[in-house]
């Protein structure tokens, strides 16, 4: 007890403070989500996400090389489709956008870990994450089958990790079986296991050109529920997930910490578009020091138990040093 104990002794700036630091964020922890649009001539700024642009598909190879050269180690691909239909069938074709962008990035930057967001919302006219039934609800089991086929298409194209984000029950198991059946038993599944129906996805919907009719409350989780988040994670682990994820990040640190205590799997967190926008706009208004706030939030994810972090700040952070 004080005065024998003085916690301030170890807080002095410099190497001593560094020696007792409990968590660190490095380039090895970070994944950069990127938006790729087919049929686009020039990069298109996303007004709700200052500093983020849609990459024209025809620039993707050189952009992937540049991203890798900057020190980014992993990317998550999101496609903006000109070929939408009721079921998102473009993603099931070996010549569709999902397969093409995966191949392009792998060819241009073979060392970059390529993750694909395994979902349909960017490829359906109605913007939902699967096929809609007569009652207007997304059909779980029909969508499962399609998700499994989509994951095989992504793996065939060279995806290093498939990341199902549709929040259909049973999606991890269905995808695992399909991958194994197609000879992709070495491709890991990172489940967006705990994905909340969050208002923080607002800027993403504009960024990804998703014109959502209604909302996703019938399949994404109620932000009020933490026990249910544990059930989702435990089920996904039992279905064969190799990694779990919590999304969004900062408003759900309690969920992250609780899942960390329940699983031995690597755990990811997604600092989503709305979290990015809040920091960017506050910094632009002079209210926050962007670099320091970014470091502090990424550090909070590690402290709460995340092993990997998806963040739109990844490239800046890796380029400028953390
Ligand atoms: C697609 C998907 C979404 C995000 C990631 N994958 C949108 C959604 O579920 O509505 C959001 C990411 C972000 O806001 O940065 N299913």
């Amino acid at each position: 007890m004080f005065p024998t104990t003085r916690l301030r002794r170890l807080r002095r700036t410099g190497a001593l403070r560094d020696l007792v630091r409990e968590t660190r964020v490095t380039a090895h922890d970070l994944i950069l989500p990127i938006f790729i649009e087919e049929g686009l001539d020039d990069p298109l700024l996303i007004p709700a996400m200052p500093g983020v642009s849609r990459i024209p598909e025809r620039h993707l190879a050189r952009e992937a090389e540049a991203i890798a050269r900057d020190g980014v180690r992993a990317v998550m691909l999101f496609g903006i489709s000109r070929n939408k239909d009721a079921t998102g069938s473009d993603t099931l074709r070996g010549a569709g956008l999902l397969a093409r962008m995966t191949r392009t990035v792998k060819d241009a930057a073979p060392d970059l870990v390529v993750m694909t967001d395994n979902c349909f919302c960017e490829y359906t006219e109605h913007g939902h994450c699967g096929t809609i039934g007569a009652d207007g609800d997304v059909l779980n089991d029909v969508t499962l089958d399609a998700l499994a086929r989509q994951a095989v298409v992504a793996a065939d194209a060279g995806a290093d990790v498939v990341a199902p984000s549709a929040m259909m029950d049973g999606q991890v198991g269905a995808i695992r079986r399909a991958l194994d059946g197609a000879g992709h038993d070495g491709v890991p599944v990172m489940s967006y296991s705990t994905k909340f129906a969050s208002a923080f996805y607002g800027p993403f919907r504009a960024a990804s050109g998703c014109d959502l009719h209604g909302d996703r409350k019938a399949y994404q989780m109620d932000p009020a529920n933490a026990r249910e988040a544990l059930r989702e994670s435990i089920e996904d682990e039992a279905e064969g997930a190799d990694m779990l994820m919590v999304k969004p990040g900062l408003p759900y640190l309690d969920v992250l910490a609780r899942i960390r205590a329940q699983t031995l799997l690597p755990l990811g967190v997604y600092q989503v578009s709305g979290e990015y926008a809040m920091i960017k706009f506050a910094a632009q208004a002079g209210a926050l020091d962007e670099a320091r706030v970014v470091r502090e939030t990424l550090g909070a994810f590690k402290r709460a138990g995340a092993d990997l972090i998806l963040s739109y700040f990844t490239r800046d952070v890796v380029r400028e040093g953390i």
Side-chain angles (χ1 to χ4, degrees), residues 30-295:
L30 296 168
I31 302 157
L32 176 68
I34 55 175
F35 300 99
I36 298 118
E37 179 164 1
E38 60 185 340
L40 187 68
D41 288 323
D42 298 303
L44 189 70
L45 288 168
I46 300 165
M49 299 178 73
V52 178
S53 302
R54 292 184 185 176
I55 302 166
E57 186 185 7
R58 53 180 66 97
H59 296 183
L60 181 57
R62 74 174 115 102
E63 193 58 25
E65 282 169 26
I67 287 169
R69 216 178 308 119
D70 277 346
V72 174
R73 323 260 315 187
V75 289
M76 170 77 80
L77 308 182
F78 292 101
I80 295 146
S81 173
R82 297 275 173 95
N83 289 298
K84 299 189 185 195
D85 61 15
T87 59
S89 64
D90 185 62
T91 60
L92 305 181
R93 299 190 305 118
L97 177 59
L98 172 70
R100 291 198 312 270
M101 63 189 187
T102 304
R103 271 196 303 269
T104 301
V105 176
K106 271 326 282 184
D107 286 348
D111 293 338
L112 213 49
V113 174
V114 173
M115 302 186 173
T116 54
D117 183 86
N118 202 200
C119 194
F120 289 99
C121 58
E122 292 133 60
Y123 302 88
T124 53
E125 290 152 343
H126 44 69
H128 278 286
C129 299
T131 301
I132 308 268
D135 61 358
D137 214 355
V138 176
L139 295 168
N140 194 86
D141 299 11
V142 172
T143 302
L144 270 191
D145 193 48
L147 280 167
R149 286 164 56 206
Q150 189 196 75
V152 172
V153 170
D156 283 347
D160 297 298
V161 177
V162 298
S165 76
M167 288 300 279
M168 295 299 122
D169 286 322
Q171 64 184 12
V172 172
I175 287 170
R176 184 70 272 156
R177 285 188 294 278
L179 289 174
D180 291 354
H184 292 301
D185 51 23
V187 175
V189 177
M190 175 166 77
S191 175
Y192 283 70
S193 50
T194 305
K195 182 167 172 183
F196 290 93
S198 171
F200 284 94
Y201 306 150
F204 175 93
R205 304 238 167 112
S208 66
C210 167
D211 184 18
L212 179 64
H213 300 227
D215 60 50
R216 303 199 201 289
K217 288 184 184 150
Y219 44 102
Q220 296 186 349
M221 282 192 47
D222 182 346
N225 294 356
R227 288 198 312 266
E228 187 189 348
L230 293 178
R231 292 186 69 195
E232 281 281 3
S233 302
I234 290 165
E235 279 206 19
D236 283 3
E237 180 165 350
E239 286 178 31
D242 299 280
M243 299 182 252
L244 302 176
M245 195 212 295
V246 174
K247 175 180 169 199
L250 215 54
Y252 298 91
L253 288 181
D254 59 322
V255 174
L256 192 61
R258 285 175 72 174
I259 295 174
R260 173 73 292 157
Q262 296 280 337
T263 182
L264 299 175
L265 295 186
L267 182 56
V269 65
Y270 200 140
Q271 182 179 48
V272 301
S273 56
E275 298 175 72
Y276 175 85
M278 285 201 303
I279 295 173
K280 275 284 175 186
F281 286 115
Q284 282 183 357
L288 291 177
D289 177 332
E290 179 178 322
R292 288 187 60 203
V293 168
V294 169
R295 261 181 266 132

